[in-house]
C-alpha cells in the first residue's frame, strides 16, 4: 500500500511538472531586434507597406537616431523648433558649409529624421492564448502610431506622453506579424518649441522607448483603477473599471505598507451595465502620511478572478492632502513653500526621456541636495519611473499636457490637450507626487483665458486629488487653484532690482501679489547665464553632441583668449550664484508668495544655448557652487537678513532686520539664532544672539542686527553669518565697509577723458595719466555693448540681443591696482557701481597676448576681448584707462569712490609699471 501511494505521488508530481511546462507565459517582451523602413515620402499606406517585409534592422526600445538611422544634418534639415538667426548670422557662415555643419542654437544630433518610419516583428502566440484578449503595449512612442496585424489594421493612437495600448481578440496559436507605423511629425500643433516635441531639448526622435510587451488577458480584465485616499476618514475610495465579460467575476483588494498587509481586505461587485466597481477600504488609526518630510508609499493590490484565470494589478499610492489655504500651499495641514526647478526634457545621452528609475534618482537626489522640493515639467509629462521615484523621495511634481501653443480658437489641439490630460490623469493619477497639472507653457490665442478656465473647471470636477492651473507664466486664470506668474521674480534686463538703487536685500514682490487672489509661484525665475564649460564637450558621447560649444570654443581661440575659458567660467559662475541667491531670497521674504520655479537648476541646451544652470545638462556641478552652499539660501529653513544697504562707511551703522523663512515639519520654540560679523581672514569683530519662536509655515520676524564699525580704518570686506542654533540651517552675506575719510594722494596723475593733444603731450613728457573714458568709448558697428551688474538673461541669440550683454568681471584679485579695493576676482555687490552703465572697451586690435587688469566677460556668441581697466606705456609716460563712471554721485556710490581711490594710490606707487606698450593709434582708435 505504501509503495502504491509513493508511485501515485511520483506520477502526480510528474503530471504537474508536465502541465506547468505547458502553461504559457502571461507576458512576452517585445524588446529586441525589429525590422524597419524609413518612409520619408509617406507613401507606405498607399503602397500597403503593412503587407511587406522590411530588410533593415534596429533594436528596440530605442530611437532611430541613436542607431545611426536618418539623415545627416545639413542647412536644409527640417528642425522642430525656432532657429532664430543661426541660419543667417554671418559670423556662423563657416559652420554652414558641407563637412563642417554645426548649429549654434542647440545640441546637435549626428542623424535627424522627421516623418514616418515602419517597424515590424514576428511574434509567436503560444497555446492557451486563443480566444482571449491580448494586449500590446508600447510605453512611450514618438509620436503617432498605427498598428497592423498580419497586414490588417488594428487601430491608431496619438497619445504623446502615455502608453499606446492595443487589444487584439481571437488570435490563433502560431506566428503573427505585427507592423507599426510611427509618425513623429507635429501633426497636432502642440507648438514647435514645446519640449514634448522640440529639437531644443530632447530632440524630435522617432521610435519606441520603455517597456514593450504583449500580454494575454483573461476574458474579463482590469482596465483602470483610481484610488482616492482620505486622511480624515483613514480610508481609500476605489473606483475600478473592467473590460470584457465573464461569469461571476470576483474583484478583490488588499493594501500593503513596507510589505506588510494593512487595512481591511475588500471584495467589490462589478456593475454588469457599466463594468465598473466602487468601494471603500478602511484603514486603522495609524496611517502613514506622504509628504516631502515623510514619503510613505502604500501599495494597493487587486485581483480579478474569472473562470479562465486571474488578472492582477498593484498600484502605488499615498495618504496626502495637497491643497491651498489663502495664498499658500498646504501638505497635510502644514504650510509648504514650493522650491522648484524646471525639467525641460533634457537628456543629452539618448535624446529622449529616461525610462528607468536610476537616472530619475540622480535628478531628484540632486534637487534635494540643492534644497529643492518641487519639479515642474515644462510643456511635457514624464514617464512612470519619474513618478515612482518622486513618490519614494517626496518630490512635488507639476505636470503639463505637452503644450506651448495657440489655444482656444477651435483648432484640433484644443480637444487634444483635453484628451491628453485625461490620459495623463488615468495613467499617473494615483501617484502621490503628482500634485499639479497644467495645459502647458505660456499660451497664445485671443480666447486662451476662456479655454483654460473651462479646462480647469473640467479637471477640478473630474479629479480632486491635485491642484490645477491654466498655463505657466500666463494668463491669470481666476478659477485656477494657483497660478505661475512672471511678476514674482527679479527677471532680466537693465532695470531690475539687481541693477537699480543701492545694493541691498530688503526688496520683495508683495506689490504684484496685491492684484491676485490665488497662490502664486514665481515663474521661471533666474535665467542668469554663465560662460560655457568647454571641458563638458567630452561628456556628450550619446545621441546629442555639443557642437554649439565647439563653435564657442573656436571663436574664443580666434580672439586669443583660449587660456581664459576656465577663469571666465568660474568668475561668471560665482556671479550667477549670487544672482540666484538674490532671486530665491526675494521670493522667500515676500509675504504671501507660495513658491518659485527656477529656470533652471541645470543648463537648458536649446533656444540659442541657454547656460542658466549652476549644474550642467547632465545634472553635474560646474565647480563654482555645490549643494551644501546652495542650501544655505534654498531650504525648508532659511535665515533672511533685510540689509537696506550692503556697502557702508565706517561712520555708518548697520541696521538690518532678521527673519526666518520657516517651512520645516515641526515648529521650534525658544529657538536660538546666533549672528556674527567676521573679516575675510576669519577674525570675528561683532556677534549677537536672539531667541524666538519659529512657528511652522511662514516668515518669522526675529530681531534687528545692529553694528557700527568705527575701528575699521581701511577698506574691508566682511561676512555676516546667521545660524539657527543646533541645526544645519545658516546663511551668510558679504558686506563692505570703507573709510569715510580717504587718504590724500601724494602724486596725483593727470586725469583726462579722451586722447586729446593735451593728454598726448602729458604722456610724451613722461607723466602718469588716468583716462576716465566713460562716455567716449567707440562701440563696434554691430551693436552697442550694454553692461550691467546682472549677467546675460537666458541668452542673446534667443532674446534678440536683449541687454545686458556681458557676464560680469574677471580680474586677479590681488593686483596692486586693487590693493585698496577688497575683492575675490569676480563680480560681487561691490562691483555693481563699477559695471552698471560702464563702457566695454573692445580690444580687437590689441595684441592677442595683451591682458587688461579687469575683464568684462563677453557673450559667448561674440567672444570679444573686453576690458574695464587696462594699463600701457605711451612714449615716456604711463597710461591707465578705466571705462567705469568714477566721477558722478561718489558720496552715494561708495564702491566707485573707493575704487577710484585704489587706482589713484596704485598710480602714485612704485608698483605702477605697465609692461606692455600698445601702438598709440590702437589706443586712440578706442575713442569716439
Amino acid at each position: 500500500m505504501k509503495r502504491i501511494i509513493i508511485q501515485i505521488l511520483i506520477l502526480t508530481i510528474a503530471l504537474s511538472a508536465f502541465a506547468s511546462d505547458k502553461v504559457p507565459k502571461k507576458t512576452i517582451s517585445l524588446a529586441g531586434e525589429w525590422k524597419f523602413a524609413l518612409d520619408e515620402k509617406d507613401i507606405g499606406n498607399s503602397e500597403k507597406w503593412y503587407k511587406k517585409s522590411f530588410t533593415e534592422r534596429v533594436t528596440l526600445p530605442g530611437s532611430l537616431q541613436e542607431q545611426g538611422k536618418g539623415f545627416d544634418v545639413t542647412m536644409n534639415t527640417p528642425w522642430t523648433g525656432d532657429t532664430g538667426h543661426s541660419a543667417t548670422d554671418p559670423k556662423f557662415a563657416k559652420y554652414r558649409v558641407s563637412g563642417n555643419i554645426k548649429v549654434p542654437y542647440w545640441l546637435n544630433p549626428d542623424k535627424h529624421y522627421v516623418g514616418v518610419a515602419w517597424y515590424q516583428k514576428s511574434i509567436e502566440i503560444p497555446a492557451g492564448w486563443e480566444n482571449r484578449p491580448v494586449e500590446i503595449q508600447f510605453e512611450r512612442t514618438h509620436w503617432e502610431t498605427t498598428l497592423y496585424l498580419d497586414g490588417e489594421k488594428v487601430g491608431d493612437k496619438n497619445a504623446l506622453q502615455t502608453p499606446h495600448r492595443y487589444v487584439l481578440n481571437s488570435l490563433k496559436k502560431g506566428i503573427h506579424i505585427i507592423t507599426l507605423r510611427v509618425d513623429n511629425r507635429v501633426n497636432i500643433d502642440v507648438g514647435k518649441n514645446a519640449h514634448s516635441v522640440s529639437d531644443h531639448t530632447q530632440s524630435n526622435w522617432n521610435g519606441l522607448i520603455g517597456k514593450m510587451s504583449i500580454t494575454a488577458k483573461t476574458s474579463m480584465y482590469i482596465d483602470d483603477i483610481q484610488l482616492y485616499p482620505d486622511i480624515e476618514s483613514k480610508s481609500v475610495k476605489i473606483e475600478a473599471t473592467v473590460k470584457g465579460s465573464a461569469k461571476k467575476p470576483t474583484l478583490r483588494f488588499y493594501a500593503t505598507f513596507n510589505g506588510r498587509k494593512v487595512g481591511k481586505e475588500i471584495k467589490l461587485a462589478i456593475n454588469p451595465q457599466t463594468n465598473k466597481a466602487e468601494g471603500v477600504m478602511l484603514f486603522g488609526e495609524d496611517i502613514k502620511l506622504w509628504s516631502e518630510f515623510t514619503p510613505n508609499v502604500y501599495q494597493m493590490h487587486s485581483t480579478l478572478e474569472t473562470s479562465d484565470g486571474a488578472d492582477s494589478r498593484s498600484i502605488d499610492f499615498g495618504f496626502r492632502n495637497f491643497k491651498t489655504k489663502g495664498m499658500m500651499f498646504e501638505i497635510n495641514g502644514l504650510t509648504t513653500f514650493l522650491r522648484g526647478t524646471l525639467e525641460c526634457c533634457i537628456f543629452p545621452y539618448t535624446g529622449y526621456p529616461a525610462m528607468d528609475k536610476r537616472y530619475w534618482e540622480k535628478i531628484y537626489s540632486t534637487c534635494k541636495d540643492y534644497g529643492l522640493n518641487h519639479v515642474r515639467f515644462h510643456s511635457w509629462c514624464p514617464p512612470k519611473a519619474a513618478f515612482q521615484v518622486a513618490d519614494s523621495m517626496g518630490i512635488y511634481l507639476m505636470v503639463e499636457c505637452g503644450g506651448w501653443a495657440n489655444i482656444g480658437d477651435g483648432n484640433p489641439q484644443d480637444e487634444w490637450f483635453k484628451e491628453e490630460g485625461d490620459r495623463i490623469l488615468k495613467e499617473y493619477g494615483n501617484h502621490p507626487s503628482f500634485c499639479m497639472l497644467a495645459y502647458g507653457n505660456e499660451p497664445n490665442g485671443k480666447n486662451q483665458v476662456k479655454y483654460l478656465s473651462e479646462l480647469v473647471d473640467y479637471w477640478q470636477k473630474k479629479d480632486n486629488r491635485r491642484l490645477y492651473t491654466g498655463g505657466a507664466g500666463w494668463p491669470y486664470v481666476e478659477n485656477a487653484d494657483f497660478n505661475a506668474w512672471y511678476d514674482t521674480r527679479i527677471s532680466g534686463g537693465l532695470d531690475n532690482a539687481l541693477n537699480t538703487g543701492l545694493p541691498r536685500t530688503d526688496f520683495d514682490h508683495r506689490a504684484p501679489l496685491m492684484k491676485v487672489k490665488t497662490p502664486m509661484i514665481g515663474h521661471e525665475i533666474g535665467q542668469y547665464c554663465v560662460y560655457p564649460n568647454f571641458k563638458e564637450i567630452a561628456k556628450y558621447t550619446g545621441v546629442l553632441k555639443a557642437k554649439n560649444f565647439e563653435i564657442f570654443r573656436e571663436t574664443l581661440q580666434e580672439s586669443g583668449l583660449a587660456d581664459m575659458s576656465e577663469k571666465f567660467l568660474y568668475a561668471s559662475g560665482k556671479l550667477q550664484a549670487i544672482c540666484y541667491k538674490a532671486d530665491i531670497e526675494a521670493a522667500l521674504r515676500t509675504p504671501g508668495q507660495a513658491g518659485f520655479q527656477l529656470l533652471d537648476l541645470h543648463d537648458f541646451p536649446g533656444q540659442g544655448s541657454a547656460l542658466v544652470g549652476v549644474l550642467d545638462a547632465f545634472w553635474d556641478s560646474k565647480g563654482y557652487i555645490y549643494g551644501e552652499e546652495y542650501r544655505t539660501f534654498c531650504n525648508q529653513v532659511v535665515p533672511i537678513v533685510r540689509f537696506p544697504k550692503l556697502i557702508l562707511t565706517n561712520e555708518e551703522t548697520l541696521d538690518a532686520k532678521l527673519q526666518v523663512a520657516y517651512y520645516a515639519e515641526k515648529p521650534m520654540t525658544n529657538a536660538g539664532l546666533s549672528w556674527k560679523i567676521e573679516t575675510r581672514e576669519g577674525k570675528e569683530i561683532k556677534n549677537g544672539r536672539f531667541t524666538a519662536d519659529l512657528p511652522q509655515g511662514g516668515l518669522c520676524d526675529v530681531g534687528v542686527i545692529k553694528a557700527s564699525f568705527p575701528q575699521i580704518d581701511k577698506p574691508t570686506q566682511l561676512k555676516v553669518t546667521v545660524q539657527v542654533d543646533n541645526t544645519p540651517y545658516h546663511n551668510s552675506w558679504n558686506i563692505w565697509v570703507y573709510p569715510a575719510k580717504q587718504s590724500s594722494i601724494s602724486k596725483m596723475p593727470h586725469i583726462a577723458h579722451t586722447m586729446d593733444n593735451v593728454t598726448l603731450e602729458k604722456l610724451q613728457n613722461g607723466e602718469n595719466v588716468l583716462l576716465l573714458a566713460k562716455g567716449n568709448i567707440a562701440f563696434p558697428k554691430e551693436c552697442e555693448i550694454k553692461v550691467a551688474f546682472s549677467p546675460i538673461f537666458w541668452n542673446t541669440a534667443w532674446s534678440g540681443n536683449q541687454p545686458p550683454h556681458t557676464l560680469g568681471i574677471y580680474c586677479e584679485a590681488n593686483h596692486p591696482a586693487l590693493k585698496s579695493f577688497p575683492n575675490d576676482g569676480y563680480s560681487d555687490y561691490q562691483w555693481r557701481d563699477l559695471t552698471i552703465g560702464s563702457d566695454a572697451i573692445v580690444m580687437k586690435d590689441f595684441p592677442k597676448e595683451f591682458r587688461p587688469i579687469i575683464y568684462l566677460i563677453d557673450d559667448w556668441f561674440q567672444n570679444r576681448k573686453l576690458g574695464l581697466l587696462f594699463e600701457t606705456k605711451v612714449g615716456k609716460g604711463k597710461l591707465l584707462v578705466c571705462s567705469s563712471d568714477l566721477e558722478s554721485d561718489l558720496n552715494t556710490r561708495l564702491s566707485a569712490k573707493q575704487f577710484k581711490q585704489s587706482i589713484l594710490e596704485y598710480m602714485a606707487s612704485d608698483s605702477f609699471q605697465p609692461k606692455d606698450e600698445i601702438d598709440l593709434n590702437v589706443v586712440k582708435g578706442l575713442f569716439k
Side-chain angles (χ1 to χ4, degrees):
M1 183 67 180
K2 184 176 180 182
R3 185 176 177 183
I4 293 172
I5 293 172
I6 292 172
Q7 289 176 334
I8 292 172
L9 286 172
I10 293 171
L11 179 61
T12 302
I13 293 170
L15 289 171
S16 299
F18 176 79
S20 65
D21 285 343
K22 294 298 182 181
V23 174
K25 294 180 180 178
K26 187 176 181 182
T27 297
I28 299 172
S29 173
L30 295 177
E33 186 177 85
W34 285 61
K35 296 179 179 180
F36 100 102
L38 292 182
D39 185 9
E40 59 177 307
K41 296 181 180 178
D42 195 11
I43 58 174
N45 274 333
S46 61
E47 294 187 357
K48 299 182 179 180
W49 286 17
Y50 45 84
K51 293 182 179 292
K52 294 182 178 181
S53 179
F54 308 136
T55 56
E56 292 192 71
R57 284 170 167 75
V58 292
T59 300
L60 298 176
S63 72
L64 291 178
Q65 289 87 336
E66 70 179 321
Q67 298 175 73
K69 307 298 183 182
F71 304 112
D72 292 338
V73 173
T74 71
M75 287 310 300
N76 298 315
T77 294
W79 298 110
T80 304
D82 287 325
T83 57
H85 304 293
S86 60
T88 57
D89 195 322
K91 67 176 171 286
F92 300 129
K94 68 179 180 179
Y95 303 109
R96 297 193 288 268
V97 177
S98 179
N100 192 41
I101 298 292
K102 295 182 181 181
V103 180
Y105 223 54
W106 47 56
L107 300 174
N108 296 199
D110 292 324
K111 297 289 183 179
H112 187 273
Y113 183 74
V114 174
V116 176
W118 295 76
Y119 301 84
Q120 194 173 75
K121 190 175 183 67
S122 297
I123 58 172
E124 183 174 2
I125 299 300
W129 283 29
E130 306 96 330
N131 302 316
R132 63 170 63 201
V134 173
E135 181 184 79
I136 294 181
Q137 172 179 279
F138 305 106
E139 186 177 357
R140 183 154 296 203
T141 76
H142 212 258
W143 174 3
E144 299 179 358
T145 65
T146 305
L147 181 67
Y148 298 86
L149 176 70
D150 298 329
E152 299 297 326
K153 182 177 178 180
V154 175
D156 47 40
K157 307 286 183 184
N158 70 357
L160 182 55
Q161 297 151 123
T162 57
H164 287 203
R165 296 187 179 97
Y166 294 91
V167 176
L168 312 174
N169 291 295
S170 303
L171 278 178
K172 294 181 180 179
K173 173 187 173 184
I175 303 296
H176 296 268
I177 305 296
I178 56 173
T179 303
L180 191 70
R181 179 183 183 271
V182 179
D183 186 355
N184 67 324
R185 293 173 296 184
V186 184
N187 296 315
I188 297 169
D189 186 12
V190 298
K192 60 184 176 180
N193 293 322
H195 304 321
S196 53
V197 296
S198 176
D199 283 307
H200 282 290
T201 53
Q202 66 170 314
S203 79
N204 188 2
W205 54 279
N206 187 300
L208 310 167
I209 59 175
K211 293 180 180 178
M212 306 166 56
S213 61
I214 180 167
T215 302
K217 298 287 189 179
T218 51
S219 57
M220 177 178 279
Y221 58 93
I222 297 169
D223 174 57
D224 182 39
I225 295 172
Q226 297 297 321
L227 306 175
Y228 298 85
D230 184 78
I231 293 175
E232 290 187 7
S233 63
K234 299 178 176 58
S235 66
V236 176
K237 180 183 177 183
I238 301 170
E239 294 183 357
T241 305
V242 301
K243 286 187 176 180
S245 60
K247 293 181 179 179
K248 298 181 179 180
T250 302
L251 186 57
R252 302 179 187 274
F253 293 85
Y254 72 93
T256 60
F257 179 74
N258 289 338
R260 179 176 58 85
K261 274 193 174 184
V262 292
K264 284 191 174 183
E265 184 171 336
I266 62 172
K267 174 181 170 183
L268 298 183
I270 299 169
N271 185 320
Q273 278 73 45
T274 62
N275 269 1
K276 294 182 182 295
E278 292 187 7
V280 175
M281 178 181 289
L282 299 176
F283 287 71
E285 291 297 313
D286 188 29
I287 60 169
K288 307 293 184 182
L289 302 184
W290 184 93
S291 72
E292 62 187 287
F293 311 110
T294 56
N296 296 308
V297 181
Y298 287 75
Q299 289 75 40
M300 182 68 73
H301 306 274
S302 60
T303 301
L304 176 61
E305 298 171 353
T306 68
S307 57
D308 62 344
D311 186 30
S312 299
R313 185 177 294 192
S314 294
I315 297 168
D316 291 346
F317 73 98
F319 285 94
R320 65 110 170 103
N321 191 0
F322 187 83
K323 65 178 185 177
T324 64
K325 185 176 182 180
M327 294 291 286
M328 301 298 287
F329 294 107
E330 279 192 349
I331 180 73
N332 306 331
L334 299 176
T335 302
T336 188
F337 188 95
L338 294 185
R339 308 179 303 278
T341 183
L342 273 61
E343 211 310 306
C344 298
C345 209
I346 299 165
F347 298 91
Y349 288 128
T350 57
Y352 55 71
M355 302 300 287
D356 64 303
K357 293 182 180 181
R358 180 180 54 84
Y359 199 74
W360 289 104
E361 287 167 356
K362 176 179 181 177
I363 290 173
Y364 294 144
S365 62
T366 303
C367 288
K368 291 175 78 74
D369 186 41
Y370 281 73
L372 303 180
N373 62 0
H374 167 52
V375 175
R376 171 198 164 203
F377 293 93
H378 179 308
S379 60
W380 75 292
C381 174
K384 180 179 179 180
F387 291 96
Q388 290 175 318
V389 177
D391 291 346
S392 69
M393 297 182 72
I395 302 289
Y396 308 128
L397 303 184
M398 176 173 166
V399 169
E400 297 179 12
C401 296
W404 189 354
N406 183 289
I407 56 174
D409 295 333
N411 296 314
Q413 61 264 32
D414 287 356
E415 186 61 26
W416 185 89
F417 285 128
K418 183 179 180 182
E419 293 170 353
E420 188 79 343
D422 286 345
R423 290 187 285 260
I424 288 170
L425 289 170
K426 177 180 178 181
E427 193 68 29
Y428 311 119
N430 291 309
H431 291 282
S433 58
F434 183 5
C435 294
M436 290 164 278
L437 180 65
Y439 119 87
N441 188 62
E442 300 173 357
N444 296 310
K446 62 183 179 180
N447 298 310
Q448 57 179 281
V449 174
K450 181 177 184 294
Y451 170 82
L452 290 172
S453 296
E454 292 173 355
L455 186 61
V456 165
D457 184 61
Y458 169 76
W459 283 337
Q460 289 169 335
K461 291 175 180 176
K462 178 183 178 69
D463 189 339
N464 65 359
R465 291 174 293 183
R466 63 196 48 79
L467 302 177
Y468 301 98
T469 192
W474 62 74
Y476 178 73
V477 177
E478 287 193 8
N479 66 321
D481 295 311
F482 68 98
N483 283 273
W485 214 23
Y486 57 88
D487 266 7
T488 47
R489 66 183 189 188
I490 292 177
S491 196
L494 299 174
D495 58 352
N496 65 36
L498 294 173
N499 296 322
T500 56
L502 296 172
R504 67 196 197 281
T505 66
D506 61 350
F507 60 90
D508 58 39
H509 308 305
R510 68 182 73 195
L513 290 179
M514 300 294 289
K515 310 178 221 175
V516 297
K517 297 180 180 179
T518 70
M520 305 302 288
I521 302 175
H523 173 65
E524 297 182 359
I525 78 167
Q527 304 187 46
Y528 305 112
C529 285
V530 67
Y531 198 77
N533 179 13
F534 297 131
K535 288 185 175 180
E536 189 182 317
I537 294 173
K539 297 173 72 170
Y540 291 86
T541 58
V543 170
L544 300 176
K545 305 297 193 299
K547 293 185 180 180
N548 50 347
F549 277 37
E550 292 176 13
I551 293 174
F552 309 145
R553 181 176 60 184
E554 290 171 26
T555 57
L556 186 71
Q557 290 168 344
E558 291 165 1
S559 296
L561 295 171
D563 60 311
M564 299 301 297
S565 65
E566 291 185 41
K567 295 175 180 178
F568 286 172
L569 166 66
Y570 185 82
S572 62
K574 298 301 283 187
L575 171 60
Q576 180 196 49
I578 288 167
C579 292
Y580 273 112
K581 174 178 166 68
D583 225 330
I584 290 170
E585 289 182 356
L588 287 168
R589 65 177 175 257
T590 299
Q593 183 163 339
F596 62 80
Q597 294 164 342
L598 297 170
L599 184 52
D600 192 332
L601 187 63
H602 72 325
D603 278 343
F604 183 102
Q607 292 183 7
S609 305
L611 310 179
V612 296
V614 299
L615 307 176
D616 65 22
F618 302 90
W619 293 90
D620 297 327
S621 172
K622 299 178 185 178
Y624 50 81
I625 188 169
Y626 296 91
E628 183 179 6
E629 180 182 351
Y630 205 93
R631 289 197 306 276
T632 64
F633 56 83
C634 181
N635 213 328
Q636 57 185 261
V637 177
V638 177
I640 300 286
V641 177
R642 290 179 175 264
F643 292 95
K645 56 167 62 177
L646 294 167
I647 301 168
L648 308 90
T649 71
N650 59 355
E651 294 180 352
E652 294 182 280
T653 298
L654 172 67
D655 193 333
K657 185 177 182 180
L658 172 60
Q659 298 176 304
V660 177
Y662 195 87
Y663 298 96
E665 183 179 14
K666 297 178 180 178
M668 291 182 68
T669 56
N670 294 317
L673 289 99
S674 302
W675 62 268
K676 63 181 179 179
I677 303 176
E678 56 189 350
T679 66
R680 296 170 74 197
E681 295 75 30
K683 179 183 177 182
E684 189 173 297
I685 61 171
K686 301 283 182 180
N687 65 65
R689 190 174 185 275
F690 298 101
T691 300
D693 292 337
L694 303 177
Q696 197 283 327
L699 197 59
C700 312
D701 292 333
V702 174
V704 176
I705 296 175
K706 289 181 178 289
S708 56
F709 310 98
Q711 76 277 29
I712 292 180
D713 58 1
K714 64 180 181 178
T716 304
Q717 179 175 308
L718 301 171
K719 182 166 76 170
V720 181
T721 301
V722 177
Q723 171 79 50
V724 182
D725 295 347
N726 303 312
T727 76
Y729 306 119
H730 61 95
N731 200 358
S732 62
W733 301 260
N734 289 335
I735 64 171
W736 293 264
V737 177
Y738 300 136
K741 298 180 178 63
Q742 295 178 327
S743 303
S744 60
I745 307 298
S746 57
K747 295 186 294 183
M748 283 290 289
H750 173 72
I751 297 179
H753 296 87
T754 188
M755 289 294 288
D756 57 17
N757 290 333
V758 174
T759 302
L760 289 171
E761 184 179 352
K762 297 283 187 183
L763 289 167
Q764 295 300 336
N765 291 335
E767 293 191 34
N768 293 347
V769 174
L770 173 59
L771 204 164
L772 299 179
K774 162 68 178 165
N776 289 313
I777 294 293
F779 289 103
K781 293 180 180 179
E782 60 268 21
C783 73
E784 182 178 356
I785 302 170
K786 296 285 189 180
V787 182
F789 172 70
S790 62
I792 292 166
F793 177 82
W794 197 235
N795 68 91
T796 56
W798 178 262
S799 65
N801 205 40
Q802 173 184 318
H805 300 135
T806 57
L807 297 163
I809 66 98
Y810 167 77
C811 66
E812 294 295 336
N814 58 356
H815 191 283
L818 306 175
K819 184 177 180 180
S820 294
F821 191 75
N823 74 96
D824 296 304
Y826 55 80
S827 294
D828 204 337
Y829 287 104
Q830 85 272 42
W831 289 98
R832 212 187 78 166
D833 287 340
L834 299 166
T835 51
I836 292 172
S838 63
D839 289 345
I841 304 171
V842 183
M843 300 180 171
K844 64 182 178 64
D845 295 326
F846 281 55
K848 285 193 173 182
E849 64 275 10
F850 181 82
R851 297 291 185 256
I853 298 173
I854 300 173
Y855 291 85
L856 285 169
I857 304 173
D858 196 16
D859 179 3
W860 58 91
F861 287 97
Q862 306 294 337
N863 274 328
R864 296 160 294 201
K865 185 190 296 181
L866 303 181
L868 194 71
L869 183 73
F870 75 90
E871 62 184 6
T872 181
K873 292 183 284 188
V874 178
K876 297 177 183 179
K878 293 176 286 186
L879 175 69
L880 189 71
V881 179
C882 180
S883 59
S884 293
D885 176 6
L886 299 186
E887 296 182 304
S888 65
D889 302 320
L890 293 187
N891 287 330
T892 56
R893 298 172 60 244
L894 299 180
S895 287
K897 182 179 180 181
Q898 185 59 46
F899 182 81
K900 184 176 182 180
Q901 175 73 11
S902 185
I903 62 176
L904 288 173
E905 290 175 2
Y906 168 62
M907 295 183 74
S909 73
D910 293 337
S911 298
F912 183 39
Q913 299 293 337
K915 67 179 186 296
D916 297 299
E917 183 167 5
I918 306 302
D919 184 284
L920 185 57
N921 289 324
V922 171
V923 178
K924 290 169 68 175
L926 294 174
F927 302 96
K928 294 177 182 177

